[in-house]
Amino acid sequence: GLLMNYMLLTLALLLSLFVSSCSNMHKSQQKNNGVDQTLKIPINYSLFSDIEKKQLNEEDIFFLSPEQQEELRLNFDEKIASGFAPHKALSEVLAERLANFTYYGETYDATTAIKLNKGNCMSLAILTTAYAKVLGLKISYRKVNTLPVFAKKDDIILSSSHVQTLIYDPNFIADKNIFYLSTPAVVIDYFPSTSHHTGKKFSLETFLSMYYKNIAADALTDKNLNKSFLYANKAYQLDIENIETINLLAVIHRRSGDLQTAEAIYKAGLDKGQTNISLLSNYIMLLKSQQRMDEVNALQDQLNQLDDPNPYQWLGEAYTAQNIGNVKQAEVYFKKALAKAPYLNQAYMGLYKIYVKQNKLKKAQTMLVKALEWTYELDERKLYKFKLYNIEHNIAANH
C-alpha cells in the first residue's frame, strides 16, 4: 500500500506561548474531575464564565455522517474484494481520498475535513483515526524526529512536528513461541523520507490532547480567551505532564489579567524539572512587566545556558527579543539557531537587519551572501540580490 504520513500543526505565539506537538503520556493515580491533584496547578475558574459546566465530547472530533460512513464502507469493501488485507485496504482508500486534499492551516474535525477536502496535518491524522474507528481497525501514533516545517505570519510562528499513524493487521495471530518486535502494520506517512528517525509511540489520549491544544492556540490568536481556556484545560486533563499545555494555561491567565495565578502556574511548570524554553521566556516577560530585574537576570542566565536541539525554538526567541527591542539578546538567539541549522536563511536575514541598523555593513553583507546560499524561492533570491547590490554600493561609497 501507499505510505502516507501526517504532521501535526502547532502554533507558537511570539511574546506569549509555544505549543509543541509531541509528548509522552504519564497517567496519574490521583485525579479529581480528570485533573491530577498532586500537581497542584492553580486554575482560576472565576476568570472564565461557566467554563466548568461546559463539556467537550471527544467522539465529536471523529464523527462521520451516515453518508460519509457509507461511502467509506463501499470503497473499503471494493479494496477487500480486490484482495487487499483490511489494514492495507484502508491505506489504499486513504490514498485515493487524499489525492486532491488541500493542505490548509486549519485544524478541522473529521467530517469538516471531508466536506471541505482540506485541513492541516492534524486534520489528516484525525480523518485517518475516524476511518479506522468506523471499520473497527486498531491504530496507534508514533512520533518522527525530523526537523519541523517552519513559517512565520505576523507575530505567529507556525511549526509542524511529524507524526505517523500505524494501522494494524487485524488478521495477525501471534505465535506464542515467537518473540515479535512489533505487530504487522501499515505506516500512514504522507511525506516518506529516509532521514526520519522514528520516536516513541503515544496514546490516543495524548493525540487528543494535541488536538485540543491546537484549537486552544487558534482561539488565543483570535483573542477568544474563554474558548482558549476551555480547550487548553481539556488538553491538560488528558495529558497532565505536558509542559507546553501548562505554559499555555499560564499565558491564558496572564492575558486574562490574573498575573498571580499565571506566575504560580509558571513556577509549577519549572518545578516539573523539564527544560522548556518558551515557559522560561514567558515567565521572564511577566517578571519584566513587574520590574523584578534580579529574578529576570537569574532566569535569563538560565535561559542562555539551555541547549535546545530545535533551531526554530531559538528563532522564535530571537523574534521575541527583537519585538521588545532587545537587539543584543536577539543576536545571541539568531546565532544559536544557526549553530543548530546553518541552512536557516531566516536567521541570516535577522542578523542582516541587526547589522544594517548598527551600520556594520561588511557583517550585513556576509549574512546576505549566506542567506542566498540557502534560498531557493525565486522571488526571495531576487530580493536578497537587490539588497546585496545596494549594500555593496554603500560599502564602496564609504571607502
Side-chain angles (χ1 to χ4, degrees), residues 325-345:
N326 193 340
V327 178
K328 193 177 176 184
Q329 203 65 55
E331 186 180 357
V332 169
Y333 289 139
F334 279 131
K335 285 177 176 175
K336 271 183 177 276
L338 288 168
K340 298 291 171 197
Y343 53 81
L344 215 58
N345 66 338

Side-chain angles (χ1 to χ4, degrees), residues 33 45 50-62 109 208-217 219 224-238 245 249 252:
N33 295 328
Y45 283 99
D50 296 327
I51 215 86
E52 281 182 287
K53 294 173 191 170
K54 291 185 181 174
Q55 293 296 316
L56 292 172
N57 185 356
E58 292 160 20
E59 287 307 308
D60 290 347
I61 302 168
F62 306 113
D109 57 29
L208 287 167
S209 178
M210 293 172 187
Y211 171 83
Y212 288 122
K213 251 192 309 181
N214 271 15
I215 303 295
N224 187 341
L225 290 171
N226 257 23
K227 183 179 179 183
S228 186
F229 175 75
L230 177 65
Y231 282 87
N233 196 41
K234 179 73 171 176
Y236 171 65
Q237 288 172 11
L238 287 165
T245 306
L249 283 166
I252 293 165

Side-chain angles (χ1 to χ4, degrees), residues 123-173:
S123 307
L124 295 180
I126 284 161
L127 187 54
T128 306
T129 308
Y131 278 3
K133 276 176 171 281
V134 168
L135 300 170
L137 294 173
K138 286 185 180 176
I139 60 165
S140 70
Y141 308 97
R142 183 170 69 185
K143 185 180 177 184
V144 180
N145 301 313
T146 62
L147 286 174
V149 175
F150 170 81
K152 181 174 181 281
K153 294 178 183 176
D154 300 325
D155 64 344
I156 298 171
I157 285 179
L158 301 172
S159 78
S160 48
S161 293
H162 200 117
V163 167
Q164 293 176 331
T165 310
L166 283 72
I167 307 173
Y168 292 98
D169 180 359
N171 299 327
F172 173 70
I173 300 165

Side-chain angles (χ1 to χ4, degrees), residues 13-254:
L13 256 184
L14 290 177
L15 304 175
S16 62
L17 80 148
F18 187 87
V19 185
S20 85
S21 177
C22 299
S23 68
N24 297 318
M25 183 71 183
H26 300 283
K27 290 185 181 174
S28 166
Q29 300 307 309
Q30 286 182 273
K31 285 193 179 182
N32 179 18
N33 295 328
V35 180
D36 179 12
Q37 296 308 299
T38 61
L39 204 57
K40 292 183 180 146
I41 286 184
I43 289 174
N44 183 359
Y45 283 99
S46 66
L47 290 172
F48 312 100
S49 55
D50 296 327
I51 215 86
E52 281 182 287
K53 294 173 191 170
K54 291 185 181 174
Q55 293 296 316
L56 292 172
N57 185 356
E58 292 160 20
E59 287 307 308
D60 290 347
I61 302 168
F62 306 113
F63 172 80
L64 296 175
S65 69
E67 294 79 19
Q68 289 169 337
Q69 290 189 41
E70 189 183 355
E71 185 193 352
L72 167 63
R73 285 202 172 94
L74 283 170
N75 292 340
F76 179 74
D77 290 346
E78 203 176 279
K79 301 298 176 199
I80 294 288
S82 302
F84 286 100
H87 60 311
K88 291 187 177 174
L90 177 53
S91 172
E92 292 294 318
V93 169
L94 277 164
E96 288 174 10
R97 186 74 196 71
L98 301 172
N100 301 311
F101 198 91
T102 305
Y103 178 85
Y104 181 70
E106 291 286 323
T107 301
Y108 295 125
D109 57 29
T111 195
T112 310
I114 292 173
K115 276 180 193 166
L116 300 177
N117 204 35
K118 65 180 182 180
N120 63 21
C121 297
M122 172 66 91
S123 307
L124 295 180
I126 284 161
L127 187 54
T128 306
T129 308
Y131 278 3
K133 276 176 171 281
V134 168
L135 300 170
L137 294 173
K138 286 185 180 176
I139 60 165
S140 70
Y141 308 97
R142 183 170 69 185
K143 185 180 177 184
V144 180
N145 301 313
T146 62
L147 286 174
V149 175
F150 170 81
K152 181 174 181 281
K153 294 178 183 176
D154 300 325
D155 64 344
I156 298 171
I157 285 179
L158 301 172
S159 78
S160 48
S161 293
H162 200 117
V163 167
Q164 293 176 331
T165 310
L166 283 72
I167 307 173
Y168 292 98
D169 180 359
N171 299 327
F172 173 70
I173 300 165
D175 185 327
K176 289 177 183 176
N177 301 316
I178 299 173
F179 173 73
Y180 299 93
L181 287 171
S182 62
T183 307
V186 176
V187 178
I188 305 298
D189 202 342
Y190 204 63
F191 304 109
S193 167
T194 52
S195 64
H196 295 163
H197 303 288
T198 54
K200 290 180 180 177
K201 289 181 186 175
F202 55 91
S203 68
L204 175 64
E205 281 181 308
T206 303
F207 177 70
L208 287 167
S209 178
M210 293 172 187
Y211 171 83
Y212 288 122
K213 251 192 309 181
N214 271 15
I215 303 295
D218 283 338
L220 195 62
T221 63
D222 294 336
K223 297 182 171 58
N224 187 341
L225 290 171
N226 257 23
K227 183 179 179 183
S228 186
F229 175 75
L230 177 65
Y231 282 87
N233 196 41
K234 179 73 171 176
Y236 171 65
Q237 288 172 11
L238 287 165
D239 188 354
I240 58 166
E241 295 295 320
N242 194 309
I243 200 79
E244 287 86 14
T245 306
I246 292 166
N247 178 37
L248 178 52
L249 283 166
V251 170
I252 293 165
H253 279 76
R254 180 173 65 78

